[in-house]
Amino acid sequence: MHFNRRSSILLASGLASHVLAANVSTLATRLKAISADVFPDLKDIAVDIWNNPEIGLDEHHAHDLVVDYFTTQRPGEWVVTPHAFGMPTAWRLEFEFTVPARPPNTPLPVIGFLSEYDALVGIGHACGHNHIALNGLAAASMARQAVIDLGIPARIVLMGTPDEESEAGKHTLLEAGAFDGVDVWFMAHPTSTSAVQPMNARINAIADFRGGSHNDVVRSAYEAIVAVSDRVAAGLPGTSSTAVAVEDVGMFECNVVQSQISLGINGSSLETVQQTVSSILDSTFPGVTFTAALDSDGGVNLTSFGPGGHASESTKGPLVLTVETFRALSSQQGVTFYLPGNTTATALDITFDVRSRFTLDLDSVLDVVTATFGNLAASISTDTVYPALEVTPFIPDVFIDLLKTPDYGSQTNWGISTFAPASTDASWLQGAVVDPTTKALIGADRVVFHPNFGICPPGTAHCAFNHEPPFRDLAGTDFSYTQTEIVARALAQIAVELLNDPVMMANATAILGN
Ligand SMILES: *[C@@H]1O[C@H](CO)[C@@H](O)[C@H](O)[C@H]1NC(C)=O
Ligand SMILES: *[C@@H]1O[C@H](CO)[C@@H](O)[C@H](O)[C@H]1NC(C)=O
Ligand SMILES: *[C@@H]1O[C@H](CO)[C@@H](O)[C@H](O)[C@H]1NC(C)=O
Ligand SMILES: *[C@@H]1O[C@H](CO)[C@@H](O)[C@H](O)[C@H]1NC(C)=O
Ligand SMILES: *[C@@H]1O[C@H](CO)[C@@H](O)[C@H](O)[C@H]1NC(C)=O
């Protein structure tokens, strides 16, 4: 499995004897000048993507923006492949540079960058993938010009990868061979705080509930959520495992934070509902509020609001308040439940978003969760696994040291964290192997560097997190674009250094030899 990578490292090392390494001591200054030239147009593309959000596999406008720009505005700079690898909204840019002194037929060192550009259903770019698109475009463009200026033989690939959010577009691309033949892959993800960190393994169990009546199906679905909540509280297998329910009605899609949940309660008084909710809602629910009012369906419309939390977190959000209210009232004689404004549905989907810190725990967590509610559901299906992403050694330290320098904004707030805040399909490229006992990273198919960078302006009282509706606004601010420019430039600097220095490349890819 690792054979190909090892041989390409040896060949890259052999490069040194043929072509002298370039002097890269002024690279940071040079990249600033290159950025001033290339970044503004690329930022315009990202702003356009932010203004025109498209969900996974539907990113036709984003696809065309990139393909058209490089075909018409920068012709000849890249080999542009639209609709790459059979995916209508994937694209690939490829560039190769060599020098006369270099013997022909010797493989070039290759750096790859990843762009994403899918949005979330109903809430636009609330995960900031416009910045992931921009980061890849900018870093690749800067690295390209720098290797030309410095005379560094190299190949650079930029892969536009559809549908990160729902069905792991990178898994489809991986199977089509899109990530082969590249020494190191780079991407970067905007979020609320800056850290180089692992990402969780994830799988969704989609449960279909059926009932003879609307009241029955709502009760079954909520009973299932209560059962899973209790099972989570009792402790799931594996490290940092979670199972968070996502109510698939109205705007709620898996991956969209549920910031407003309505539950209809029939056969109880408005006063009882208000007292019940008030007795549950305490300071452990951050920023959660509710309204309760008699409605035209003949019961009480209880609606909970709040920032919630990413599906990977066990934050007590609006759904938890609703579920705990259901738990408190469901045993009372004559009380029934409904979905306000939607009282005819007799089928209801709930997604249980199952996560664990390590891939090797995911199956057992999924088994426990599905066994917990299985008897209540008519059917259960699962989606594509997102394996855990691990932090590969070497590049993180180089990156963090670089960002401390004045050229990169003297950012001293970066660190390597062991906390996994979310998941990513970039893990499919990495193919990490961890020791089953120690959980240490012992091997990988590819080197993937995936820092998460903060786009919250300093001094912001409450920074929205990815997938909360207000994160969309953050991802449109000037500050966020400034941060992306810095991170992209830093990745370009490291990419050029790796392409120029076989020893550094060997260090960065040492994990592949295991
Ligand atoms: C690299 O370039 C810098 C700036 O021009 C110069 O000071 C330095 O001596 C050069 N280093 C080598 C090894 O040639
Ligand atoms: C009503 O519920 C059904 C079944 O869950 C769902 O598909 C539909 O989107 C809901 N409609 C509205 C307006 O919420
Ligand atoms: C609520 O209960 C009333 C009285 O039994 C009934 O007429 C009404 O249809 C119920 N509404 C729902 C949505 O369950
Ligand atoms: C239930 O109450 C919420 C909050 O006031 C409101 O937004 C929603 O439209 C109500 N639902 C119906 C069906 O009236
Ligand atoms: C980097 O490579 C050098 C030379 O092979 C080696 O001495 C050093 O230990 C390596 N460092 C890392 C972090 O792999």
Side-chain angles (χ1 to χ4, degrees):
M1 190 190 277
H2 307 129
F3 171 79
N4 291 337
R5 323 301 319 137
R6 190 196 291 271
S7 59
S8 92
I9 292 160
L10 292 175
L11 289 165
S13 309
L15 195 157
S17 56
H18 300 293
V19 180
L20 282 178
N23 182 342
V24 294
S25 64
T26 57
L27 180 56
T29 308
R30 185 178 294 276
L31 283 170
K32 278 188 176 174
I34 295 172
S35 180
D37 176 40
V38 301
F39 192 77
D41 281 359
L42 303 175
K43 179 186 166 186
D44 287 348
I45 292 174
V47 170
D48 197 332
I49 290 173
W50 185 83
N51 278 319
N52 296 285
E54 299 163 303
I55 62 166
L57 303 181
D58 200 29
E59 314 99 321
H60 299 284
H61 178 69
H63 170 277
D64 293 352
L65 278 174
V66 171
V67 167
D68 291 350
Y69 176 76
F70 285 98
T71 309
T72 64
Q73 304 301 306
R74 294 196 173 261
E77 290 193 357
W78 299 87
V79 175
V80 181
T81 308
H83 319 298
F85 297 95
M87 291 192 90
T89 58
W91 46 261
R92 185 177 175 99
L93 303 185
E94 213 164 329
F95 156 84
E96 198 173 295
F97 177 78
T98 191
V99 293
R102 190 185 169 79
N105 304 323
T106 45
L108 293 163
V110 190
I111 292 292
F113 297 93
L114 300 167
S115 284
E116 295 169 5
Y117 31 90
D118 57 327
L120 298 168
V121 175
I123 56 170
H125 276 290
C127 198
H129 290 191
N130 55 311
H131 289 284
I132 301 180
L134 176 59
N135 178 72
L137 291 166
S141 298
M142 293 180 206
R144 176 189 169 280
Q145 192 58 51
V147 298
I148 294 172
D149 293 353
L150 294 168
I152 299 171
R155 205 152 71 78
I156 297 172
V157 174
L158 173 58
M159 207 41 240
T161 64
D163 194 20
E164 193 282 325
E165 292 291 349
S166 297
E167 281 298 327
K170 290 183 197 64
H171 176 246
T172 309
L173 287 169
L174 176 73
E175 302 215 308
F179 305 118
D180 295 345
V182 171
D183 295 305
V184 175
W185 286 98
F186 287 98
M187 68 175 285
H189 201 309
T191 182
S192 52
T193 48
S194 294
V196 177
Q197 54 198 161
M199 301 288 264
N200 282 316
R202 161 193 135 184
I203 190 165
N204 288 310
I206 303 113
D208 182 27
F209 297 91
R210 302 284 163 135
S213 70
H214 177 70
N215 291 154
D216 288 346
V217 75
V218 173
R219 183 175 283 266
S220 300
Y222 271 81
E223 280 176 350
I225 304 176
V226 167
V228 172
S229 306
D230 288 347
R231 193 62 190 76
V232 172
L236 293 169
T239 308
S240 302
S241 303
T242 60
V244 177
V246 183
E247 196 178 282
D248 298 346
V249 290
M251 71 172 273
F252 304 117
E253 295 279 333
C254 178
N255 259 352
V256 173
V257 169
Q258 303 168 99
S259 53
Q260 180 177 338
I261 292 279
S262 293
L263 177 66
I265 301 160
N266 207 352
S268 188
S269 70
L270 177 59
E271 194 185 25
T272 302
V273 172
Q274 283 170 328
Q275 281 171 357
T276 305
V277 183
S278 300
S279 70
I280 295 166
L281 181 57
D282 60 17
S283 60
T284 62
F285 289 82
V288 176
T289 58
F290 76 96
T291 61
L294 292 169
D295 75 2
S296 56
D297 293 319
V300 177
N301 170 356
L302 167 65
T303 300
S304 305
F305 304 87
H310 193 281
S312 67
E313 292 183 325
S314 48
T315 311
K316 285 170 137 186
L319 183 62
V320 177
L321 181 61
T322 308
V323 168
E324 292 309 313
T325 304
F326 169 86
R327 184 203 292 273
L329 295 173
S330 61
S331 58
Q332 293 193 4
Q333 194 67 32
V335 174
T336 58
F337 300 90
Y338 60 96
L339 301 180
N342 197 356
T343 58
T344 54
T346 55
L348 186 58
D349 283 349
I350 304 284
T351 297
F352 291 92
D353 185 308
V354 174
R355 305 200 181 203
S356 64
R357 168 62 192 85
F358 296 100
T359 314
L360 43 80
D361 293 325
L362 196 60
D363 280 349
S364 59
V365 181
L366 178 67
D367 287 349
V368 165
V369 171
T370 53
T372 301
F373 70 79
N375 59 324
L376 293 160
S379 66
I380 303 168
S381 59
T382 51
D383 68 356
T384 310
V385 172
Y386 285 50
L389 182 89
E390 304 298 337
V391 175
T392 53
F394 186 76
I395 295 176
D397 294 323
V398 175
F399 178 77
I400 289 169
D401 284 348
L402 188 59
L403 284 181
K404 285 180 193 154
T405 64
D407 286 322
Y408 293 95
S410 307
Q411 300 190 23
T412 54
N413 55 327
W414 281 84
I416 298 177
S417 145
T418 55
F419 173 69
S423 51
T424 171
D425 69 351
S427 56
W428 274 111
L429 284 68
Q430 184 186 50
V433 181
V434 303
D435 182 284
T437 309
T438 65
K439 303 290 177 8
L441 179 68
I442 54 175
D445 291 340
R446 291 174 188 76
V447 174
V448 177
F449 181 56
H450 175 287
N452 292 319
F453 63 102
I455 58 168
C456 216
T460 308
H462 169 76
C463 189
F465 192 59
N466 303 64
H467 297 214
E468 292 180 340
F471 195 84
R472 171 190 43 206
D473 301 330
L474 263 187
T477 59
D478 288 344
F479 183 80
S480 67
Y481 286 106
T482 304
Q483 286 295 92
T484 301
E485 190 276 333
I486 292 171
V487 171
R489 191 153 43 80
L491 296 187
Q493 164 127 12
I494 297 170
V496 172
E497 289 177 356
L498 288 170
L499 291 165
N500 187 50
D501 182 350
V503 173
M504 187 173 168
M505 182 69 100
N507 277 344
T509 55
I511 189 76
L512 304 175
N514 296 340

